[in-house]
Amino acid sequence: MGRMKIIPDAKKKELQQILEISGENVKDCMQCGKCTAGCPASSSMDILPHQVIRLLQLGQLDKVANSQTIWSCASCFTCTTRCPRNIDLAKLMEAVRLTIIRSKGSSRLKADDVPGKIDPKMPQQAIVSGFRKYNK
Amino acid sequence: MKFSYYPGCTLKTKAQELEKFALNSAAALGVELEEQKEWQCCGAVYPLAEDEIGTKLSSVRALAEAAQKNEKLITLCAACHHVIKRVNEDMKTKDDVKNKVNNYLQLAQDYQGEAEVIHYLEMLRDEIGFDKLAEKVTNPLTNRKIGAYYGCLLLRPAETMNFDDPENPSIIEEFIKALGATPVKYPYRTECCGGYLSLDNKELAQEMTDNIMKSALKNEVEELVTACPLCKYNLENKNGKIAISYFTELLAEALGVKE
Ligand code: SF4
Ligand code: SF4
């Protein structure tokens, strides 16, 4: 008999939203850790990539949403390419970021912040991609 | 050989060399690249959210124009290539995206993923052939030990990008060999440089590029090449000990058209 996971109703809606935005099924993850093993940004993550999935399986969205991890993920798709269960963790990271920055006034990066972060050599690509990732 | 060509915003500003050397070389190889008239910025990152449509429209416009001309669409920037190729896959496989995009764009003919987008390197490999390219080299880059820096966007996700083996690619090494130089493989050539993190998390991007540089140095790479302006910028950080240039600069040099 499997253990029952009780997820509070208020969280269910947000979790459902994350699954819909990402199109990924967190239940497929078997916690092998391959995503974490290959993640080039893991040194600055407070929750490791495989732990992100586990927390989502358990419905503990707040821990993920409040983590540094989602802002350290570089969308490099290494985990995406290596997951033996075909889970696109990069999409889940994006979905969590979006549930935060899509609400009004919650952009991670504001237009006024940009001039302080750029230098003369920085390519447009950096500004456009950073802005697309952190501002809605 | 004629293709539709999508430059992207960075090639018109900070990465003009990537484009200039590519166009000179194409002319030397007898390839005509016709720049699309009204291309729009691809957005630099593929929208990973399933419910985002608006940020895919510029890619579809470029693809639909190429399809209408019955030409393949050529890209140069790794990020543009990544975005346009993945959007094209969505237009082939996701009915929801296809319907919404076509409803919005109202093109003369619905677009359903008919165009093929190829990166300039794929054009060299698959349309011209590296053996033919080698024959056209007038100024072989003999005795130069060059490392390829692939990064993420050309290779991953592998099924969609379908560019090369995502863990052990060889296309840029074969390219380097065709130009008469010696390719040097080093383990971190497919690791991420940090990408957009350099805007808001510079320390992490710095750490990631340091790892790549260390790996290249350890394997005695003397110069690096890339197809991505952001990778180049990140790798040129304060600890960057190896010079990095665009692959097209090497090409132009070997073909004797680098002015
Ligand atoms: S690699 Fe895939 S299956 Fe393994 S822990 Fe990561 S997400 Fe789960
Ligand atoms: S996409 Fe994000 S979580 Fe996955 S390997 Fe890259 S940085 Fe790590």
Side-chain angles (χ1 to χ4, degrees):
Chain A
M1 201 169 69
R3 277 189 301 163
M4 265 204 343
K5 292 194 255 321
I6 314 273
I7 299 174
D9 283 346
K11 287 283 152 257
K12 268 194 187 147
K13 193 171 152 258
E14 284 175 327
L15 265 174
Q16 193 52 37
Q17 203 185 3
I18 286 177
L19 303 187
E20 271 169 27
I21 295 176
S22 69
E24 296 298 306
N25 184 359
V26 293
K27 291 191 184 131
D28 285 343
C29 169
M30 59 182 180
Q31 287 291 293
C32 70
K34 200 164 182 174
C35 46
T36 296
C39 174
S42 62
S43 68
S44 85
M45 291 177 172
D46 47 359
I47 301 172
L48 294 168
H50 74 286
Q51 294 172 324
V52 165
I53 292 250
R54 185 64 184 141
L55 289 168
L56 292 177
Q57 285 176 337
L58 295 171
Q60 298 185 27
L61 179 57
D62 289 353
K63 286 192 187 157
V64 180
N66 292 319
S67 72
Q68 166 59 36
T69 296
I70 53 172
W71 308 110
S72 292
C73 169
S75 304
C76 74
F77 311 115
T78 305
C79 53
T80 307
T81 296
R82 292 184 185 168
C83 174
R85 304 284 295 167
N86 276 329
I87 296 170
D88 194 336
L89 184 48
K91 281 194 166 177
L92 283 162
M93 296 274 193
E94 177 92 345
V96 180
R97 284 189 293 267
L98 288 174
T99 55
I100 299 167
I101 64 173
R102 275 182 182 176
S103 53
K104 197 162 184 278
S106 304
S107 283
R108 172 91 173 173
L109 188 71
K110 314 254 177 347
D112 289 344
D113 301 336
V114 173
K117 293 180 184 289
I118 59 177
D119 61 67
K121 280 190 161 178
M122 187 178 267
Q124 281 62 27
Q125 184 192 348
I127 304 160
V128 175
S129 55
F131 217 60
R132 277 270 160 99
K133 281 285 175 185
Y134 300 138
N135 183 295
K136 288 290 158 199
Chain B
M1 230 184 271
K2 182 165 180 275
F3 299 96
S4 286
Y5 163 54
Y6 178 94
C9 56
T10 307
L11 271 64
K12 297 295 178 186
T13 47
K14 299 282 185 219
Q16 289 177 16
E17 291 173 359
L18 175 56
E19 177 177 58
K20 183 180 93 185
F21 295 129
L23 296 181
N24 290 355
S25 303
L29 293 167
V31 173
E32 192 184 339
L33 297 183
E34 191 184 352
E35 182 174 327
Q36 292 198 324
K37 282 204 179 61
E38 292 186 352
W39 62 267
Q40 301 166 322
C41 172
C42 72
V45 284
Y46 168 75
L48 290 171
E50 293 291 322
D51 57 357
E52 275 194 35
I53 299 292
T55 41
K56 294 180 176 168
L57 297 176
S58 60
S59 294
V60 178
R61 288 191 177 103
L63 287 159
E65 193 187 319
Q68 194 235 329
K69 288 190 163 166
N70 217 356
E71 287 171 358
K72 288 183 183 171
L73 182 63
I74 296 245
T75 53
L76 264 171
C77 166
C80 298
H81 185 68
H82 181 92
V83 175
I84 297 174
K85 183 122 188 189
R86 291 186 77 174
V87 170
N88 205 25
E89 182 72 11
D90 289 345
M91 293 301 287
K92 281 185 211 166
T93 58
K94 292 180 184 166
D95 288 340
D96 176 47
V97 177
K98 203 187 302 182
N99 291 337
K100 284 180 181 154
V101 166
N102 279 310
N103 274 341
Y104 187 97
L105 287 180
Q106 297 293 321
L107 302 162
Q109 206 177 350
D110 273 3
Y111 181 75
Q112 325 217 17
E114 294 87 348
E116 193 184 342
V117 54
I118 61 172
H119 188 264
Y120 195 98
L121 279 163
E122 292 176 305
M123 182 269 285
L124 295 176
R125 178 187 63 189
D126 306 330
E127 309 281 332
I128 295 179
F130 286 140
D131 47 344
K132 291 273 167 345
L133 173 63
E135 287 168 17
K136 303 229 170 167
V137 167
T138 53
N139 175 31
L141 312 178
T142 328
N143 294 331
R144 283 166 63 179
K145 288 168 142 184
I146 306 175
Y149 178 67
Y150 286 88
C152 312
L153 299 176
L154 292 174
L155 294 171
R156 299 186 288 266
E159 306 78 53
T160 307
M161 297 315 294
N162 201 13
F163 183 77
D164 204 342
D165 181 333
E167 301 290 353
N168 189 17
S170 58
I171 175 170
I172 306 183
E173 282 83 6
E174 283 163 31
F175 164 77
I176 293 169
K177 213 186 281 175
L179 305 185
T182 309
V184 183
K185 284 194 175 181
Y186 58 102
Y188 274 59
R189 69 210 157 95
T190 61
E191 285 281 298
C192 177
C193 70
Y196 56 79
L197 291 177
S198 58
L199 192 64
D200 206 35
N201 195 342
K202 290 189 199 305
E203 280 132 66
L204 179 54
Q206 173 88 42
E207 184 189 321
M208 289 161 79
T209 47
D210 284 351
N211 289 335
I212 296 163
M213 273 293 167
K214 266 185 228 155
S215 170
L217 275 173
K218 207 172 161 192
N219 288 275
E220 293 170 8
V221 170
E222 286 167 0
E223 46 188 306
L224 285 164
V225 284
T226 180
C228 179
L230 185 48
C231 296
K232 183 168 183 282
Y233 169 82
N234 284 342
L235 285 161
E236 279 171 344
N237 72 29
K238 60 179 190 290
N239 297 332
K241 293 201 178 65
I242 308 176
I244 177 158
S245 57
Y246 293 118
F247 76 97
T248 54
E249 185 170 347
L250 278 194
L251 178 62
E253 194 181 340
L255 294 174
V257 293
K258 183 182 163 185
E259 280 118 43

